[in-house]
Amino acid sequence: MSEQPRFTRFRPTRAGIAGIILIAVSALWVLARPFDYDPARLPQSASCMEDLKDTLDRAGHLEDMAWRGCLVVTDTARHFARYATSQSNPSTAVRSCIECHDGATAPTFASMWTYFPRYNVAKQRVEDFAQAIQDEIVTRYNGTIPVRSDVAVSTLYVYAFFKASQAGLTFAQDTVDQTPISELQLQTLRTTDSCRRVFAHKGFPRGPNSPYIVEGCNLVTDTHNHVYTAANLWRTDMICENCHLDAGTRPFAGPLAMGAVMLPIHMTPLNKPIRFDRRILMCFARSLNWFDMGRDAPFLTYVRMYANWLAQHDGLQIGRIYEGRGIPMLYDTDGAGSSILAGEKAYQKHCIRCHGKNAWGGMGPVYNGKEPPPIAGPNSFTALATTASRNRLAGFILNNMPPGASHDSPILSEQQALDVAIYIESLGRPADFVKTNRLSQFGNYLWLNAIYHGARLLRDPITSASPIVKATDTTHAYIE
């Protein structure tokens, strides 16, 4: 008869007991700590009140960050010294930023805001304002480098924006005394026709920033071919210019210049301030339906340089809000609401020739070398994109679609735009990527694309549409 196994009672060691007690006490300490964040009880400063008095009326999130940024620049030893590594040595102790950045010894924060991002000739690299702050902490204060999204970096970022706005400044990406970019450089950079039209109208970029301004425009107008190769392993048919029309210059279609002077902003859905680099990153992950490539991706900076250059050459003042910014919202008309069936009829009359029967795009006339983008289906923008909102999509349609429409001369009525928007919404699009893990995203991406390419291969009637036509007339080419 086999011997039954013996079970011994668990006897924790003294070290194990001590560890459990330590974990429990630590957890209680964290849970018991009061959540004490009240913007109304921020540290007071007479100098900051004098410095920012014209910009504190709203007392919102951005104003709160500007105030904290002012505290940092006026009393850096107290508010920023956590990064310094040699505070015991008076010769390397943290000095207040404002002692140097007074406009005489070093540029003011307001003026620095106007020329970042820039190509630093001495360091042979492109750097933005956040990187400049990081370098300053390391080199000036012998400190540890913070991450780009660190709150201390962001507060200085917002402070500089407020000061530039307060001074009524515009961006300074190039100057008239600098040498314009050469035709050989434009060819080497594979400058798109859309970008050449913009430069022919506004003037060609000049100086050391010019190649990166051009590349920023290329990224907007030919996104797939100007990001690094690895990014194309997972990509869709969307490019930036699908929404930011005319290389990001058209009002009421997300003009980049007006965005450049408005950001950073407080984004209500996320309930946090958003810097321009993060906003572009969100576009890649949501509107382009790619993925979050990281805030350090260099092409994000190039797009910002191009947007700032546009704002400079349009004479837009930093911090001002201009008519035609973003994409306007269009709300349901009184009593009528929106109709999917009416939207389908309007879509068949005005949209099907370009976007196809199922709105998967790539079916209609080629205009300026580009096929119409998908506005539904697996390769379209996600449910979190700006134009995924029915009211925002209706506003975009009214002001810009079909091609030839404008804010002053729309082709569709407001009711038709609302109906088409709700019809497109009913066709479906990729889900909210934030609430889906990356593995599930990729599996869904492969599955949807298998269906997409399989349908095209088999010439399923659902994807059939008029044959591709070379369109030249911008007013009538897209209208059936």
Side-chain angles (χ1 to χ4, degrees):
M1 187 172 181
S2 61
E3 186 176 337
Q4 295 293 321
R6 295 181 180 180
F7 296 94
T8 56
R9 180 181 296 178
F10 172 70
R11 296 179 183 275
T13 63
R14 291 183 178 180
I17 294 173
I20 293 172
I21 293 174
L22 180 62
I23 293 172
V25 171
S26 299
L28 289 173
W29 180 78
V30 170
L31 293 173
R33 290 187 68 189
F35 181 73
D36 187 17
Y37 174 75
D38 183 357
R41 294 206 303 267
L42 288 175
Q44 297 301 304
S45 169
S47 60
C48 286
M49 183 60 70
E50 178 66 23
D51 189 14
L52 295 172
K53 60 184 178 182
D54 298 332
T55 62
L56 298 176
D57 293 339
R58 293 181 64 242
H61 291 267
L62 282 179
E63 288 78 10
D64 169 62
M65 293 188 72
W67 181 265
R68 292 173 184 273
C70 182
L71 295 178
V72 170
V73 300
T74 56
D75 191 5
T76 312
R78 176 181 178 186
H79 296 282
F80 218 48
R82 57 197 174 98
Y83 292 110
T85 58
S86 51
Q87 287 300 294
S88 59
N89 185 346
S91 64
T92 58
V94 174
R95 298 173 61 191
S96 292
C97 302
I98 206 69
E99 293 179 31
C100 294
H101 292 283
D102 56 1
T105 308
T108 64
F109 276 80
S111 64
M112 286 192 294
W113 184 256
T114 65
Y115 58 74
F116 279 103
R118 66 174 181 176
Y119 179 74
N120 189 317
V121 177
K123 296 180 181 178
Q124 297 289 295
R125 71 172 192 185
V126 173
E127 60 183 6
D128 65 4
F129 193 76
Q131 287 173 310
I133 295 171
Q134 289 175 313
D135 288 351
E136 193 78 356
I137 294 169
V138 174
T139 59
R140 186 76 61 187
Y141 302 142
N142 192 27
T144 56
I145 187 168
V147 297
R148 288 163 60 85
S149 57
D150 185 276
V151 66
V153 174
S154 293
T155 55
L156 289 180
Y157 194 99
V158 174
Y159 172 75
F161 166 74
F162 267 72
K163 292 303 295 180
S165 172
Q166 191 179 45
L169 301 181
T170 58
F171 283 108
Q173 286 288 296
D174 61 6
T175 59
V176 293
D177 60 327
Q178 293 175 322
T179 304
I181 193 168
S182 67
E183 175 60 29
L184 178 60
Q185 286 178 294
L186 291 172
Q187 293 177 11
T188 302
L189 291 167
R190 296 174 295 148
T191 307
T192 67
D193 291 340
S194 295
C195 293
R196 285 181 176 274
R197 283 191 290 271
V198 171
F199 299 146
H201 177 65
K202 298 181 182 294
F204 286 85
R206 297 169 174 267
N209 287 342
S210 59
Y212 306 99
I213 295 169
V214 171
E215 189 61 10
C217 184
N218 285 335
L219 283 160
V220 172
T221 57
D222 190 18
T223 313
H224 304 140
N225 294 319
H226 287 269
V227 296
Y228 37 72
T229 305
N232 275 313
L233 296 176
W234 178 355
R235 49 154 281 197
T236 63
D237 295 337
M238 303 293 293
I239 64 172
C240 302
E241 199 178 18
N242 293 151
C243 296
H244 302 280
L245 301 177
D246 297 339
T249 64
R250 187 188 296 186
F252 303 99
L256 297 177
M258 295 183 188
V261 297
M262 283 180 60
L263 280 101
I265 59 173
H266 180 76
M267 185 165 282
T268 303
L270 299 179
N271 194 31
K272 65 180 180 181
I274 296 294
R275 294 174 5 190
F276 203 177
D277 52 359
R278 181 62 184 173
R279 185 66 188 89
I280 299 171
L281 192 62
M282 289 165 58
C283 280
F284 269 86
R286 298 177 176 184
S287 298
L288 297 185
N289 189 12
W290 285 19
F291 55 93
D292 190 326
M293 300 178 188
R295 198 175 294 179
D296 291 325
F299 54 80
L300 302 180
T301 304
Y302 304 156
V303 173
R304 288 178 56 205
M305 294 175 77
Y306 172 60
N308 290 0
W309 180 87
L310 288 175
Q312 172 191 341
H313 285 261
D314 287 347
L316 304 187
Q317 180 181 317
I318 295 167
R320 285 278 304 276
I321 297 176
Y322 292 89
E323 184 183 11
R325 68 190 183 278
I327 299 172
M329 301 279 275
L330 184 62
Y331 296 96
D332 284 339
T333 52
D334 292 338
S338 302
S339 166
I340 293 177
L341 294 179
E344 183 178 17
K345 292 179 181 178
Y347 181 90
Q348 290 175 346
K349 182 178 180 180
H350 296 282
C351 316
I352 194 171
R353 183 184 179 192
C354 297
H355 296 287
K357 291 186 177 180
N358 59 352
W360 284 7
M363 306 302 299
V366 173
Y367 176 64
N368 288 340
K370 300 178 180 67
E371 291 184 342
I375 51 178
N379 285 325
S380 183
F381 46 88
T382 75
L384 277 183
T386 300
T387 46
S389 163
R390 182 194 315 165
N391 303 114
R392 189 80 67 181
L393 180 58
F396 182 85
I397 293 169
L398 178 69
N399 288 278
N400 302 286
M401 291 292 139
S406 68
H407 174 70
D408 296 323
S409 300
I411 293 175
L412 303 183
S413 67
E414 289 191 9
Q415 187 63 62
Q416 284 177 312
L418 288 161
D419 292 340
V420 170
I422 197 172
Y423 170 67
I424 293 172
E425 183 181 64
S426 73
L427 298 178
R429 62 184 62 264
D432 179 347
F433 73 96
V434 170
K435 298 177 181 177
T436 308
N437 65 62
R438 294 298 172 88
L439 186 59
S440 297
Q441 282 184 56
F442 190 62
N444 189 54
Y445 173 81
L446 293 177
W447 169 245
L448 289 174
N449 272 275
I451 298 174
Y452 173 69
H453 292 292
R456 291 174 69 94
L457 183 64
L458 296 173
R459 298 185 182 277
D460 192 309
I462 196 173
T463 64
S464 63
S466 302
I468 292 178
V469 177
K470 296 292 183 181
T472 56
D473 187 316
T474 59
T475 304
H476 303 291
Y478 284 58
I479 305 172
E480 190 172 80

